[in-house]
Amino acid sequence: MSSATPKQQLMIARQHLDKLAIFINSMVDFFNGANPAIDKELKSIKTLLAGKPDYERAAELSATINSEMKKQSKYMRQHNLATLSQLQDSLRKINDLDAVDADTKSQIKHFIQSLAPESSNVTSPIAQFEKALSLFKQALSNNVVTRSQQDSKDQEKLHQEIIQELQELISPYHASESENKTIAELREKLQSGLAHRELLECCLVMIRFVMRDVIKEASTANKLINDIHKSLSKINVGIKTTIAKSKNRMQQRSAQNKTMRKQIDAIEATLSDSQRIEDLKREAQTHLTKMQSSLKASEADERAEQEKLIVLLESMQKRLSELEDKAQNYKQKLLDQRIQAMTDTLTKLPNRMAYEEKVEATYKQSKQSQNELCMAILDIDHFKQINDKYGHSVGDKTLQIIATQIKKNLNDDDFVARWGGEEFVALMPKSSLTDCFERLEAMREKISQLPFMFKGQRVSVTVSIGLTDMLEYSSIEKAFEQADALLYEAKQNGRNQTKIKDAIHE
């Protein structure tokens, strides 16, 4: 039994009640917002227990809150289960993404298995949310890194393609303007390799050169059109003048014919009325003299008119001949420009533009006629090392020799173009895959035996080849991808070889 007096016990009980009131206030603050249905009552009980507590009214209100919390407990359990279910679904979707790494997927899988809520747990699964948020961030971070790496690869591929295109574009300018320092420096940069910003600057320079030629070509075309317009205008004026003179001449002839008729009528009248032969002769002679004079005048006019017409026609013919010569020269110029645009200036082989035009027509024709058609992609092995070790001039000479050998060892019906850099692409129609393989292998052997001498040192230059049957594929692009993949395989397997799909020669 306690020895405390009733007054002391009452004070101790009050202290406990005060501590309990503080605890209840803290709990009210903690659960504020967890269940909107009882937020108002919780605020009320907090007010009753603050300052000078009203325990009696607080006890009554706590009974009401307790009853309401029992009613809401089922709702909160269902809400908790639904929230965890949504969390599991979201994690499963994250786990299905290809960009998420294996370690993160393993962590997500184990966490999903751990999300089995206890039946007595009616509070929000904050710990689970924190863990899920951490996994989301981890997966997102890995995804961003993967995308960044992929974007970097795509940018590098595009960077190299632009360099290749600029190299082809600058070749005609370098051939025709070899003394131009800007073009020479730009070509050297493209061959040596450059950063992204430098590439943009090179693109800007090339755009200026192209625009200069476009404007120059437009000026030439406009001059030709103006010359044609002026010549046709003069011819038109001449024709109109001729027509007007012809109409005037017809009127003169009509007047002369009337005069002649009058003279003839006068002669007839004289013949009828004359009684003496001498008078008849005299009258007839007079009228005949007038008729003869009229005829001579008419002949003179006719001759003068014909001479003028001949001069006009000769002038028109001369003008038309001049126009024809100008048009022919312009046509030849356009033809020369087209040939130049379709030709690689270094190797004198057709370039990529010519290839793209040729492959479309050849592929379509072979599809229609069901003739065989093979594609080969050839690449010079270790070409960058040749450039780096011996210089670009030696590299250019190597490209020229290899291009000559490729052209020399193909059939007349075959087509080969420089694809870019040290790569070539060949179309081989009306030849089976086996026949093409044998011919390319013979070519490859000959190239490997060429006596290349670099700075007094004999160097062996080889090529790797990817070969495929184009008609096995639904598009040119897919056939090219297959040939390129086979070329890559040849490179990976040691170079200096020809690869074909499922080759019996392997």
Side-chain angles (χ1 to χ4, degrees):
M1 295 290 293
S2 175
S3 60
T5 64
K7 186 177 180 180
Q8 290 175 331
Q9 290 179 354
L10 182 61
M11 289 179 63
I12 293 171
R14 185 174 291 278
Q15 289 176 355
H16 287 315
L17 285 174
D18 289 341
K19 290 180 180 179
L20 184 61
I22 293 171
F23 171 75
I24 292 173
N25 283 338
S26 297
M27 291 294 291
V28 167
D29 290 337
F30 181 80
F31 285 103
N32 182 38
N35 191 339
I38 60 174
D39 277 353
K40 186 177 180 181
E41 285 78 3
L42 289 174
K43 289 179 181 178
S44 298
I45 199 171
K46 182 178 179 180
T47 302
L48 291 172
L49 293 175
K52 188 177 180 180
D54 187 345
Y55 293 114
E56 186 176 352
R57 290 183 60 190
E60 293 175 358
L61 186 56
S62 64
T64 304
I65 294 173
N66 187 45
S67 176
E68 186 64 31
M69 288 181 68
K70 287 181 179 179
K71 293 179 182 178
Q72 292 292 324
S73 63
K74 184 178 180 181
Y75 162 77
M76 292 194 67
R77 287 193 185 94
Q78 291 175 344
H79 181 69
N80 185 25
L81 290 171
T83 301
L84 290 175
S85 177
Q86 290 178 358
L87 197 59
Q88 287 175 319
D89 290 341
S90 298
L91 286 167
R92 288 190 184 98
K93 290 178 181 178
I94 292 290
N95 207 38
D96 290 338
L97 295 176
D98 295 334
V100 179
D101 65 288
D103 182 56
T104 303
K105 284 189 174 185
S106 177
Q107 294 181 48
I108 291 175
K109 182 178 179 181
H110 286 96
F111 182 63
I112 291 174
Q113 293 173 351
S114 70
L115 289 179
E118 298 293 333
S119 60
S120 60
N121 184 13
V122 296
T123 60
S124 298
I126 296 176
Q128 289 90 332
F129 272 113
E130 289 177 349
K131 176 64 176 176
L133 183 60
S134 174
L135 290 172
F136 284 148
K137 288 180 178 179
Q138 185 175 336
L140 181 61
S141 175
N142 291 334
N143 191 25
V144 169
V145 170
T146 303
R147 286 190 176 184
S148 177
Q149 292 173 344
Q150 184 61 42
D151 289 344
S152 179
K153 290 180 181 178
D154 292 342
Q155 287 180 359
E156 179 61 26
K157 182 180 179 182
L158 179 61
H159 185 91
Q160 294 302 322
E161 288 178 353
I162 293 174
I163 288 178
Q164 191 169 304
E165 291 286 349
L166 288 177
Q167 286 176 337
E168 292 183 12
L169 191 59
I170 202 174
S171 293
Y173 291 97
H174 184 260
S176 60
E177 302 180 41
S178 57
E179 301 300 323
N180 191 311
K181 292 183 179 180
T182 302
I183 292 177
E185 291 174 359
L186 183 58
R187 185 169 181 264
E188 180 66 25
K189 285 182 178 179
L190 289 170
Q191 290 178 335
S192 302
L194 32 75
H196 186 64
R197 179 179 177 81
E198 293 175 318
L199 181 60
L200 293 177
E201 292 173 352
C202 288
C203 288
L204 183 59
V205 174
M206 282 307 305
I207 288 171
R208 288 170 181 164
F209 276 110
V210 171
M211 287 303 299
R212 180 201 67 181
D213 281 1
V214 168
I215 293 171
K216 183 179 178 181
E217 188 61 33
S219 177
T220 303
N222 286 335
K223 187 176 182 303
L224 176 63
I225 292 170
N226 287 333
D227 287 344
I228 292 173
H229 178 72
K230 289 178 182 179
S231 297
L232 291 177
S233 296
K234 289 181 179 180
I235 291 171
N236 187 41
V237 170
I239 291 172
K240 288 181 178 179
T241 302
T242 302
I243 292 172
K245 288 182 177 180
S246 296
K247 288 181 178 179
N248 186 44
R249 181 59 185 157
M250 288 178 65
Q251 292 174 354
Q252 290 177 355
R253 286 178 181 175
S254 178
Q256 288 173 350
N257 289 337
K258 288 181 180 179
T259 302
M260 294 285 289
R261 288 194 191 96
K262 287 181 180 179
Q263 298 297 332
I264 293 171
D265 290 341
I267 291 173
E268 290 177 350
T270 300
L271 290 172
S272 300
D273 297 339
S274 294
Q275 299 296 325
R276 295 173 55 194
I277 190 68
E278 293 298 331
D279 294 337
L280 179 60
K281 286 181 179 181
R282 189 171 52 256
E283 291 288 338
Q285 186 63 42
T286 300
H287 290 301
L288 288 172
T289 301
K290 291 181 179 181
M291 290 176 64
Q292 187 177 14
S293 177
S294 297
L295 287 172
K296 286 181 179 180
S298 179
E299 287 176 0
D301 292 342
E302 186 71 26
R303 191 180 299 110
E305 186 67 24
Q306 287 179 353
E307 289 174 355
K308 289 180 181 180
L309 181 60
I310 289 171
V311 171
L312 177 62
L313 291 175
E314 287 177 347
S315 175
M316 290 171 61
Q317 185 179 15
K318 182 180 178 182
R319 185 68 65 174
L320 289 173
S321 296
E322 290 174 355
L323 284 178
E324 186 177 358
D325 290 341
K326 287 183 179 180
Q328 185 63 33
N329 290 336
Y330 190 69
K331 181 180 178 182
Q332 185 61 45
K333 182 180 178 182
L334 291 178
L335 181 61
D336 293 342
Q337 287 180 345
R338 175 175 170 77
I339 293 173
Q340 186 179 20
M342 293 287 189
T343 303
D344 177 61
T345 55
L346 179 63
T347 63
K348 305 306 178 186
L349 290 178
N351 58 16
R352 187 190 297 191
M353 189 186 302
Y355 157 77
E356 290 175 351
E357 183 178 283
K358 181 71 174 180
V359 73
E360 288 282 350
T362 306
Y363 182 75
K364 183 178 180 181
Q365 183 181 7
S366 298
K367 278 280 189 182
Q368 292 174 346
S369 61
Q370 292 299 306
N371 286 329
E372 294 172 310
L373 176 62
C374 292
M375 172 188 283
I377 301 179
L378 305 91
D379 184 272
I380 302 176
D381 297 327
H382 302 297
F383 183 74
K384 188 176 185 301
Q385 295 181 11
I386 296 174
N387 274 336
D388 294 343
K389 188 173 182 180
Y390 303 104
H392 291 295
S393 59
V394 174
D396 289 348
K397 188 63 178 177
T398 302
L399 280 169
Q400 291 172 335
I401 295 172
I402 297 296
T404 301
Q405 288 298 315
I406 294 173
K407 181 69 175 176
K408 182 179 177 181
N409 287 278
L410 291 177
N411 292 343
D412 292 339
D413 291 337
D414 297 338
F415 172 89
V416 62
R418 184 184 179 194
W419 175 254
E422 66 272 23
E423 282 192 348
F424 302 86
V425 59
L427 302 175
M428 308 171 76
K430 302 177 183 178
S431 298
S432 67
L433 193 64
T434 302
D435 178 52
C436 291
F437 178 83
E438 292 173 353
R439 287 198 285 127
L440 289 172
E441 277 290 272
M443 174 201 298
R444 183 185 59 76
E445 287 290 341
K446 289 180 181 179
I447 291 174
S448 66
Q449 295 171 9
L450 290 174
F452 283 96
M453 296 295 294
F454 299 151
K455 295 183 179 180
Q457 181 183 0
R458 192 182 188 282
V459 178
S460 176
V461 177
T462 62
V463 296
S464 298
I465 306 171
L467 173 66
T468 191
D469 184 349
M470 288 191 70
L471 300 187
E472 289 185 3
Y473 303 93
S474 58
S475 68
I476 296 170
E477 291 74 18
K478 290 183 179 179
F480 187 91
E481 288 174 3
Q482 178 61 34
D484 195 45
L486 290 167
L487 171 64
Y488 179 78
E489 185 179 343
K491 291 279 189 182
Q492 293 296 108
N493 289 349
R495 296 181 171 83
N496 191 25
Q497 57 187 277
T498 304
K499 280 288 181 179
I500 60 176
K501 188 177 181 181
D502 300 325
I504 60 173
H505 306 277
E506 292 182 352

